[in-house]
Structure formats: structure tokens, C-alpha cells
Amino acid sequence: MWANRDEFHFASVKMEGDFILTAFCHFNGKGVNPHRKMGLMIRENSEPGSRYADAAVHGDGLTSLQYRTLANDVTGEFKSSLTMPDVIQLERKGDTIIMRCAKSGNPLLETGRLNIAFKSPVYAGLFICSHDTGVVEKAIFHNVRIDVPAGEQVDGYQHPSASRLELLDVATGNRKVIYTTTGHIEAPNWSHDGKFLIYNSDGLLYKFPLVSGSPEKINTGGVGSINNDHGLSFDGKMLAISSSAKMPDGHSGSMVYTVPVSGGIPKPITPKVPSYWHGWSPDGKRLVYCAERNGDYDVWGIPSMGGEEVQLTKSKGLDDGPEYSPDGRWIYFNSVRSGMMKIWRMLPDGLYPEQVSFGPYNDWFAHLSPDGKQLVYVSYPAQVPANSHPHNQRILLQQQQINSSEQKVLAYIYGGQGTMNVPSWSPDGKMIAFVSYTYGDPNF
């Protein structure tokens, strides 16, 4: 794959418009020729001299954005300073082609871009080339995704995206799509027995049995505007939900309710709106939530049977996403008090807040593993306003040990609002459930 003629193996699909192609990859075996290549490619046609652009990782570690802007012309390249990455991404945005790469666990870095006005449709996919007609080379690709991003200024609330329900193995980073739909789903919880997930879609809650893979609507009586702030008590018997309600004084907004996990008539809990649930205490006696009172959003607590609400944070700016640690010693939450959105924790009475996450991103919705030793959270680019967690973003799913400030990237996701707003660990602590989005075919 060089000069003005290419010979290689290519697994591809036809694509129109903008898209993001991402994959983890590595060579299988020592190899023969240092110029062997694997990677991602966008190609105009299957002719040997076709115009193309690829994100190529070579056998000797050289990594580059290769391209041919004119048919049958000589190949050009932009070399990356990063060698032998195992995560690569190739994006088509109009006539601009962008390459990003990383070593797994680290954020993606842009390593090249150029303009090619491809004729549509193009072929997009995975390639491998031995650079030697007498040699067979092998490469492993996994976590392969094609995401179609929303157009500029597309409102994710007004124009919901298609969805993929995914499971991620925390130890290996491997992702598995278990359900796709052209409808929009959000915020999966994992049942206490590990047998099903619960997510919201179009104002309703659904049970998703992992064996059958067939969604089942959960009875929530007349409460039918449920948002993505919902979750199970530690014993798995009760479900807290957040749904729009109209108060006697005429105000309307999200209210917190509780209902048996099997369904029923929800019990209103919070006396005021708006209130967005985020956590149960381990003993099931209290709930914590984000609520707007007197023009500011803070963390509040209340008995799980209802009663007097107590303000737990009083810092100016948004405090959100509160969740108890499994031992009940801490409440973790996210706050803009440092200037960026970061993960914090405090005692259950709101005392002694301390910052937990650091780094260049806006971090949201920390969820603790069942053993309390690690947390995962969603990270937005710094360009996204600190107090906003919108749809249609290139986000990171990050992992952090409780006794460390070091972060590790678990997944590179097109998503945002609804991806992982609520607790989503499997009960054995091995897996995480989340939702990714696309404005194209969710099966890619």
C-alpha cells in the first residue's frame, strides 16, 4: 500500500456523509516485513489506484495518516509522533479527514488531517497488508464502531438518536453490544441479581432481561414522563425514579418517586420540584438528589419514605450526581466549585467536601464499584461548558481507583446525556452497562 497502486485485504461497508470509525487493534504474531500495515480506511472505490485516506499502523510501529488525493497518484502521509498505538480513529467531517490515535487507557490525540472531496458513497472499514505477496499477516480488531454524529446544532432532546445498549468488561476493556434500536434509550441500571437491566425510553421504564434480550415495560401507573435519573436500592427491591409533576402551586418539574422494582403505583417523595434522584443509602433509609431551590442547584437528602429534605451542599454553582459509597461513609458528587466539573466527595451530612478527580476534562456522574474500591465516570471535553452535559459529544468513560488520583480511559464513546447518568455496575463488579448513540444504523 504505497506509490500509485495498492494490494491489501479490506472489510468495509458503504457510507454516506459524516461518520467516525474507531477500533482497537494489534498485530497477531511477530511478522515478516516492517512495512506491513493494519488500520482504518476510507476509500472511493476498489480500484488499485483509488483515492483514499487511512489511519495506518506499520509493523515497525510507524503510525501515519496516508492518503492519495488524485487517482493513480503517489501516496502521501502525515507521520504521527505516537508509535504503535492500539486505538485508532478515522473521522470524515465534510471534506475533512481526521486521524486520532492512542495507547489504550489514554485519551485520543489528533495526529493528522487533510481535505479530500470524496465522491459518495465511500467504502469505510478495516484493512491489513503484508507488503509481501508471499506472506500472510494477521491482525486483531475489536471494539469496532461506526458512529454517525449529529449535524451542527442538532438538539438531542428535539431529535433523539438511535441507541446501542452495551456492556463493558472492566478488566479487559472489551465492549459488547447487546441491543440496538432506532429509538432512543438511556441510563441502564443493573439488577441486584444480575439478571436484567432497567432503562428509560420515551418517558417510560423498561426491564431488559439479559437472557431473552426482549424489553418489557415496567408498570409505573400514571407516572409517564420518566427521565434518566432512576436506580435501584442496595437490596434490589425498590426503584427510585424521577418524572415530571405539577405541584399545587402551579410549578412543574422533575419529582422523585419510589416504586417496587416489579412495578406499581409510584409514591411521591420530594416536596418540591425540580428534583433529580441519584442515590440510595446502603440501608435504604435515605435518598440523595440534585435539586434547584432558590435559583441554585445543590445536593439534597430526604428519608426514602418521604419527609423533610435537608440541603447538603451550599456552594455556588451546580452540584449534581450524588451517590453513596457502598459502606455509607461518603457521598460522591460532581461540582463546578473548582471552575471545572469535577468529582468530589463529602460525609453524609455534607461536611468535609474534598475533590477526587483532576485533569483536563469535565467529569460527571461517578459510580462506585460494589466493593467500593473504584469508580467510573463520564468525562466531557473542556470545550463543553462545565455546567452542561449535552447529547451528541465525543466523551470518555474513565476509571479511577479510590486511593489514587490517576485516571484510565475505559471507552471512547459518542454519547453524553443518557450514556451513564446512574449506577450501572454489575453486582459482581466485573461489568458496566451504558448506552452509546449514533444518527446512523445502530448495528454498525
Side-chain angles (χ1 to χ4, degrees):
M1 294 177 62
W2 195 245
N4 57 3
R5 178 182 175 85
D6 304 323
E7 298 176 358
F8 59 97
H9 290 271
F10 192 31
S12 65
V13 294
K14 287 185 178 182
M15 296 292 298
E16 302 268 5
D18 295 350
F19 57 87
I20 307 166
L21 180 58
T22 310
F24 284 57
C25 59
H26 64 270
F27 286 111
N28 186 12
K30 185 177 180 180
V32 176
N33 194 311
H35 295 292
R36 63 178 176 158
K37 305 175 184 71
M38 65 175 176
L40 307 175
M41 178 181 291
I42 300 170
R43 196 171 185 90
E44 200 162 62
N45 56 53
S46 58
E47 294 300 316
S50 171
R51 298 196 304 158
Y52 78 94
D54 69 29
V57 181
H58 297 64
D60 61 1
L62 172 66
T63 303
S64 57
L65 173 60
Q66 300 182 157
Y67 58 91
R68 184 180 293 122
T69 56
L70 297 174
N72 303 310
D73 200 2
V74 175
T75 297
E77 70 175 337
F78 295 111
K79 293 182 180 180
S80 168
S81 60
L82 182 64
T83 60
M84 199 58 79
D86 54 359
V87 187
I88 50 177
Q89 185 177 90
L90 199 60
E91 178 176 1
R92 182 190 188 191
K93 186 176 183 180
D95 293 337
T96 303
I97 306 300
I98 306 166
M99 177 182 172
R100 304 178 183 93
C101 58
K103 291 186 182 291
S104 58
N106 297 304
L108 289 164
L109 298 174
E110 182 176 323
T111 57
R113 67 168 58 202
L114 73 154
N115 287 338
I116 302 181
F118 284 117
K119 298 176 182 177
S120 288
V122 295
Y123 293 85
L126 319 174
F127 75 86
I128 183 168
C129 173
S130 68
H131 210 76
D132 189 326
T133 57
V135 174
V136 173
E137 295 284 4
K138 295 181 180 180
I140 304 296
F141 293 86
H142 63 101
N143 289 349
V144 179
R145 297 290 183 274
I146 300 179
D147 301 307
V148 177
E152 296 294 331
Q153 308 303 317
V154 170
D155 186 316
Y157 288 104
Q158 298 299 321
H159 302 281
S161 56
S163 308
R164 305 181 184 106
L165 182 58
E166 300 198 42
L167 304 183
L168 180 142
D169 185 307
V170 176
T172 66
N174 289 336
R175 294 162 58 177
K176 181 180 180 181
V177 176
I178 60 171
Y179 180 63
T180 62
T181 173
T182 54
H184 189 78
I185 65 177
E186 297 183 322
N189 308 125
W190 211 306
S191 67
H192 185 68
D193 60 10
K195 294 182 178 180
F196 61 90
L197 304 174
I198 292 174
Y199 62 76
N200 63 287
S201 180
D202 199 24
L204 301 174
L205 279 184
Y206 290 87
K207 175 181 177 180
F208 185 85
L210 293 173
V211 173
S212 70
S214 299
E216 304 168 7
K217 187 171 71 172
I218 297 175
N219 174 29
T220 54
V223 178
S225 298
I226 299 169
N227 58 49
N228 53 36
D229 296 322
H230 50 77
L232 291 151
S233 57
F234 276 76
D235 63 9
K237 296 179 180 180
M238 296 295 294
L239 187 62
I241 61 177
S242 308
S243 180
S244 294
K246 189 170 185 179
M247 307 301 287
D249 62 4
H251 286 88
S252 60
S254 178
M255 175 184 285
V256 176
Y257 301 78
T258 59
V259 65
V261 68
S262 57
I265 305 301
K267 174 183 172 61
I269 301 298
T270 51
K272 297 180 181 180
V273 297
S275 303
Y276 302 89
W277 176 88
H278 278 279
W280 287 85
S281 63
D283 61 10
K285 293 182 179 181
R286 295 192 67 80
L287 305 177
V288 283
Y289 51 98
C290 173
E292 185 270 319
R293 306 288 185 262
N294 302 315
D296 206 15
Y297 280 89
D298 283 291
V299 174
W300 292 71
I302 196 169
S304 59
M305 296 301 292
E308 182 179 356
E309 62 179 8
V310 178
Q311 186 174 1
L312 299 178
T313 64
K314 298 180 181 179
S315 177
K316 285 295 180 183
L318 176 62
D319 296 321
D320 198 355
E323 185 176 316
Y324 279 90
S325 60
D327 60 9
R329 292 183 57 198
W330 300 97
I331 293 174
Y332 284 75
F333 64 103
N334 46 278
S335 173
V336 296
R337 64 187 66 191
S338 69
M340 296 187 71
M341 183 62 79
K342 290 297 174 185
I343 307 303
W344 289 67
R345 70 179 184 180
M346 60 186 173
L347 296 180
D349 59 6
L351 295 178
Y352 303 112
E354 59 182 9
Q355 188 172 340
V356 172
S357 77
F358 301 86
Y361 300 98
N362 289 308
D363 304 326
W364 286 79
F365 305 131
H367 308 306
L368 285 97
S369 57
D371 63 7
K373 294 182 178 180
Q374 57 186 312
L375 53 95
V376 294
Y377 48 85
V378 169
S379 293
Y380 281 82
Q383 295 85 348
V384 175
N387 63 352
S388 178
H389 54 105
H391 301 85
N392 306 334
Q393 299 292 319
R394 295 157 178 77
I395 60 172
L396 302 175
L397 179 58
Q398 298 213 79
Q399 174 192 34
Q400 184 174 328
Q401 302 299 317
I402 292 300
N403 59 0
S404 172
S405 61
E406 297 294 321
Q407 300 125 338
K408 176 185 177 181
V409 177
L410 289 177
Y412 312 85
I413 303 170
Y414 186 76
Q417 170 70 299
T419 288
M420 198 185 69
N421 294 49
V422 291
S424 55
W425 284 87
S426 63
D428 62 8
K430 295 181 179 180
M431 308 286 285
I432 295 167
F434 66 93
V435 180
S436 60
Y437 300 114
T438 180
Y439 280 80
D441 185 341
N443 292 298
F444 281 153

